[in-house]
C-alpha cells in the first residue's frame, strides 16, 4: 500500500502519548508499506527536525506554516477573533491554506491508496470531498474531554469557555466522524461514544501499545523507599488537574499512614500551578532524560485523572516496567485492565489513598500486582498494534471500488520538502 499520513505539529521527539502512539504505528507501517508522512508545523523552519524526520521516515514531507505559537495575550485575541467560527478553537487554529493546497494535490492525483488523518485537528485541512479512502485516527473523543473540563473547572469564566468550546467540539467532531470513510478508535469506550453518531461498523478499535524493549521489569530495580510516582506532560490540563487533585484530596491521607512516603511528578513543562505543589514530600522534576529510570525507583504509580479520553500509555508502560498501578476509572478508561487483579481502581479520594497505602505497606501484595500487570502489558507490544492498524487500512482499500475513482492522468510531484 501507499499510505499518506497527515499530522499537525511535530512528532519528534515523541514524548506525548499521542505522538508516541503515532510514532510506533508509523514505524511498523513503514517497514511493510510505502508511507508518505506529511508533517506540518508552526514557528520558524526547523532543519534539524526535518532532517531527523526524513532520516527516520524516508519520503517524509515537511511544511512549515510559519504560524507562531501565541503568548497568553495573543492567544486570547486570536481566540476572540475565531469565536464566531463554527469550528472549535482547538481545531480552527491549525487551519492553513498551504496545507489545504498540498493535500488537495495529493487527493486530486489519486496516487495514494489510503490516507490517514492523525488527530482531529488535522481534519480541518482535508478536502471536503475525499476522493481516496481516508481514515480518521481518533486518539481521543475530543468532545468528551472538553465536556469533562466544563464539569470540573472551578473558575466560573473557565467553565463558560469550556462549555462553549465543548458544544462546538461536539458538533464538529460528529461531522468529521461521519465524513471520513472509516474511523480508528483506541478503545471500546471511545467506539461506543462515536457509535452514537454513525454506524459503529465504520469504527474499528486498535488498542494502545507499549515498547516492551524499553519498558521491562528489572529484578534489581525493586523500590527500597515508599516513592509514589506520576508521569505525564505537565502542561496538559488533565494532568495538571490530576496532580492538583491528588495533592489536595489524596496525598495527606497517604502521608498520615506512611510518613516517609514521597510523591514525585515526572513530566516536561510544568506550569506554575504544578510548581506550587512542590514541598519536602512532593518533588517536581520537569523534563527528564529517561522516564524508565524514575519508574524503576518507584513503589507505586498513580493515575488520578478526572478528565481525559482515549487510552493512557503511562499505565501499560508502568505495568511493563513491573510496577503496581492505582488509577481512577477515567485514568484507565479503555484499557484491558481488571480491578483487584492487575490494577487498583478507585474514584473516591479515601479509597484511592487506601489502595496506595496498602500497596506501600504490603510488599507481597505489591509484587502480586507487579507480576500481573507485567503479564498483561506483554500482550500489547507495538509491533502487534501496528500490524492491526495496517490490516484496517488494507481492508478499507480492498472494499473501495476503484471503478468509480480512476487514477488521474496528470503527473503529480508532491513527495518533496515544501
Amino acid at each position: 500500500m501507499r499510505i499518506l499520513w497527515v499530522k499537525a505539529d511535530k512528532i519528534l521527539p515523541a514524548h506525548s502519548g499521542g505522538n508516541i502512539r503515532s510514532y510506533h504505528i508509523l514505524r511498523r507501517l513503514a517497514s511493510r508499506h510505502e508511507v508518505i508522512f506529511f508533517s506540518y508545523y508552526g514557528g520558524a523552519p526547523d532543519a534539524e527536525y526535518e532532517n531527523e524526520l526524513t532520516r527516520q521516515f524516508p519520503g517524509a514531507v515537511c511544511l512549515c506554516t510559519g504560524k507562531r505559537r501565541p503568548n497568553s495575550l495573543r492567544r486570547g485575541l486570536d481566540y476572540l477573533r475565531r469565536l464566531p467560527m463554527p469550528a472549535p478553537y482547538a481545531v480552527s487554529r491549525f487551519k492553513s491554506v498551504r496545507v489545504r493546497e498540498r493535500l488537495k494535490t495529493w487527493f486530486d492525483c489519486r496516487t495514494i491508496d489510503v490516507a490517514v488523518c492523525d488527530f482531529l485537528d488535522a481534519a480541518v485541512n482535508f478536502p471536503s470531498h475525499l476522493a481516496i479512502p481516508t481514515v480518521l485516527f481518533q486518539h481521543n473523543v475530543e468532545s468528551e474531554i472538553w465536556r469533562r473540563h466544563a464539569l470540573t473547572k472551578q473558575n466560573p469564566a473557565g467553565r463558560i469557555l469550556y462549555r462553549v468550546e465543548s458544544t462546538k467540539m461536539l458538533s464538529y467532531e460528529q461531522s468529521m466522524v461521519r465524513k471520513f470513510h472509516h474511523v480508528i478508535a483506541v478503545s471500546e469506550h471511545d467506539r461506543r461514544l462515536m457509535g452514537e453518531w454513525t454506524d459503529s461498523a465504520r469504527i474499528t478499535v486498535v488498542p494502545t501499545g507499549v515498547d516492551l524493549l524499553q519498558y521491562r521489569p528489572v529484578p534489581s530495580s525493586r523500590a527500597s523507599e515508599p516513592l509514589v510516582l506520576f508521569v505525564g506532560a505537565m502542561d496538559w490540563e488533565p494532568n495538571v488537574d490530576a496532580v492538583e487533585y491528588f495533592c489536595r484530596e489524596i496525598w495527606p491521607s497517604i502521608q498520615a499512614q506512611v510518613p516517609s512516603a514521597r510523591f514525585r511528578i515526572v513530566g516536561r513543562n510544568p506550569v506554575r500551578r504544578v510548581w506550587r505543589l512542590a514541598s519536602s514530600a512532593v518533588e517536581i522534576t520537569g523534563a527528564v532524560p529517561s522516564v524508565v529510570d524514575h519508574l524503576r525507583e518507584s513503589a507505586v504509580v498513580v493515575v488520578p485523572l478526572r478528565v481525559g479520553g482515549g487510552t493512557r500509555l503511562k499505565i501499560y508502560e508502568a505495568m511493563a516496567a513491573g510496577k503496581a498501578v492505582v488509577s481512577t476509572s477515567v485514568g484507565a478508561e479503555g484499557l484491558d485492565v481488571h480491578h483487584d487483579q492487575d490494577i487498583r481502581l478507585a474514584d473516591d479520594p479515601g479509597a484511592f489513598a487506601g489502595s496506595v497505602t496498602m500497596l506501600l505497606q504490603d510488599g507481597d501484595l505489591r509484587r502480586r500486582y507487579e507480576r500481573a500487570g507485567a503479564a498483561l502489558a506483554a500482550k500489547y507490544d507495538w509491533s502487534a498494534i501496528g500490524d492491526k492498524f495496517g490490516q484496517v487500512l488494507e481492508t478499507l482499500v480492498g472494499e473501495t471500488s476503484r471503478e468509480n475513482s480512476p487514477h488521474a492522468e496528470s503527473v503529480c510531484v508532491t513527495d518533496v520538502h515544501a
Side-chain angles (χ1 to χ4, degrees):
M1 283 188 302
R2 198 165 194 240
I3 304 167
L4 172 65
W5 188 292
V6 183
K7 188 181 187 308
D9 272 350
K10 299 175 182 177
I11 194 173
L12 299 176
H15 289 322
S16 68
N19 283 352
I20 292 171
R21 183 183 291 114
S22 295
Y23 175 81
H24 284 285
I25 292 174
L26 271 165
R27 288 291 296 266
R28 187 64 175 180
L29 290 176
S31 71
R32 301 189 167 201
H33 305 280
E34 183 180 351
V35 175
I36 301 172
F37 181 32
F38 181 34
S39 172
Y40 62 95
Y41 62 94
D46 188 340
E48 183 178 351
Y49 167 71
E50 297 191 12
N51 290 336
E52 179 60 20
L53 188 69
T54 53
R55 186 188 70 80
Q56 296 198 38
F57 298 100
V61 177
C62 297
L63 192 155
C64 177
T65 63
K67 291 184 178 180
R68 294 183 299 170
R69 185 178 295 275
N71 57 27
S72 297
L73 176 60
R74 285 202 304 268
R75 187 182 298 111
L77 294 174
D78 190 44
Y79 175 76
L80 291 175
R81 180 174 67 85
R82 297 177 186 271
L83 187 58
M85 297 181 181
Y89 181 70
V91 169
S92 64
R93 68 191 183 94
F94 286 99
K95 193 171 184 178
S96 167
V97 172
R98 293 174 62 201
V99 173
R100 290 176 69 88
E101 290 175 347
R102 176 56 63 89
L103 286 176
K104 184 177 184 301
T105 301
W106 267 308
F107 275 79
D108 287 347
C109 291
R110 303 184 191 181
T111 57
I112 306 297
D113 294 314
V114 62
V116 177
C117 175
D118 191 7
F119 278 100
L120 192 65
D121 48 23
V124 71
N125 291 311
F126 272 70
S128 56
H129 172 63
L130 301 174
I132 59 177
T134 310
V135 169
L136 175 62
F137 186 14
Q138 282 276 75
H139 298 250
N140 310 288
V141 178
E142 299 292 343
S143 55
E144 183 68 3
I145 295 177
W146 286 85
R147 184 188 70 82
R148 288 172 174 171
H149 273 309
L151 292 174
T152 59
K153 202 70 176 177
Q154 295 183 345
N155 180 280
R159 269 201 310 274
I160 293 173
L161 184 150
Y162 277 112
R163 284 173 183 168
V164 170
E165 291 301 302
S166 174
T167 300
K168 285 186 173 186
M169 184 63 79
L170 178 61
S171 176
Y172 183 81
E173 192 166 29
Q174 287 175 339
S175 67
M176 291 300 104
V177 165
R178 294 171 184 141
K179 170 183 174 177
F180 285 82
H181 298 117
H182 202 81
V183 178
I184 292 181
V186 297
S187 72
E188 284 293 343
H189 174 267
D190 285 7
R191 183 176 183 267
R192 285 195 298 271
L193 288 177
M194 291 184 286
E196 297 178 1
W197 310 335
T198 188
D199 181 2
S200 59
R202 297 178 58 251
I203 308 170
T204 301
V205 175
V206 177
T208 201
V210 62
D211 186 346
L212 294 179
L213 290 178
Q214 181 180 10
Y215 297 91
R216 63 183 186 277
V218 176
S220 62
S221 70
R222 281 188 175 152
S224 58
E225 298 180 5
L227 174 63
V228 179
L229 189 72
F230 178 88
V231 177
M234 295 320 304
D235 55 356
W236 194 49
E237 178 60 28
N239 286 342
V240 176
D241 175 80
V243 294
E244 286 184 323
Y245 164 65
F246 183 82
C247 288
R248 182 179 65 247
E249 304 289 340
I250 300 170
W251 185 236
S253 298
I254 296 172
Q255 280 193 295
Q257 296 297 316
V258 188
S260 60
R262 293 181 298 119
F263 180 42
R264 182 181 296 170
I265 300 171
V266 175
R268 70 183 188 281
N269 302 331
V271 297
R272 187 176 303 173
R273 286 160 54 195
V274 175
W275 285 116
R276 288 174 181 163
L277 301 174
S279 69
S280 58
V282 178
E283 177 187 0
I284 319 294
T285 68
V288 296
S290 172
V291 171
V292 178
D293 293 339
H294 292 272
L295 282 171
R296 288 173 178 164
E297 291 179 11
S298 67
V300 178
V301 174
V302 294
V303 188
L305 284 169
R306 299 190 297 172
V307 178
T311 51
R312 315 312 184 272
L313 276 71
K314 61 180 66 119
I315 288 182
Y316 277 169
E317 290 172 350
M319 287 179 165
K323 294 301 169 180
V325 180
V326 180
S327 174
T328 57
S329 298
V330 169
E333 203 168 60
L335 290 179
D336 178 28
V337 295
H338 315 88
H339 172 60
D340 208 20
Q341 295 181 37
D342 42 50
I343 195 172
R344 296 289 301 180
L345 298 176
D347 295 319
D348 174 76
F352 200 112
S355 291
V356 175
T357 299
M358 179 175 61
L359 291 171
L360 290 176
Q361 294 178 329
D362 189 336
D364 290 338
L365 179 65
R366 185 170 71 247
R367 283 185 283 277
R368 192 194 89 190
Y369 279 94
E370 290 171 350
R371 290 190 296 269
L376 176 65
K379 301 176 183 179
Y380 292 94
D381 185 69
W382 279 119
S383 60
I385 303 304
D387 287 346
K388 182 169 184 178
F389 199 104
Q391 290 166 8
V392 176
L393 300 185
E394 289 175 345
T395 300
L396 178 61
V397 170
E399 292 175 348
T400 302
S401 172
R402 302 302 179 86
E403 295 179 1
N404 296 327
S405 56
H407 289 306
E409 295 295 330
S410 60
V411 176
C412 304
V413 182
T414 57
D415 304 349
V416 295
H417 279 58

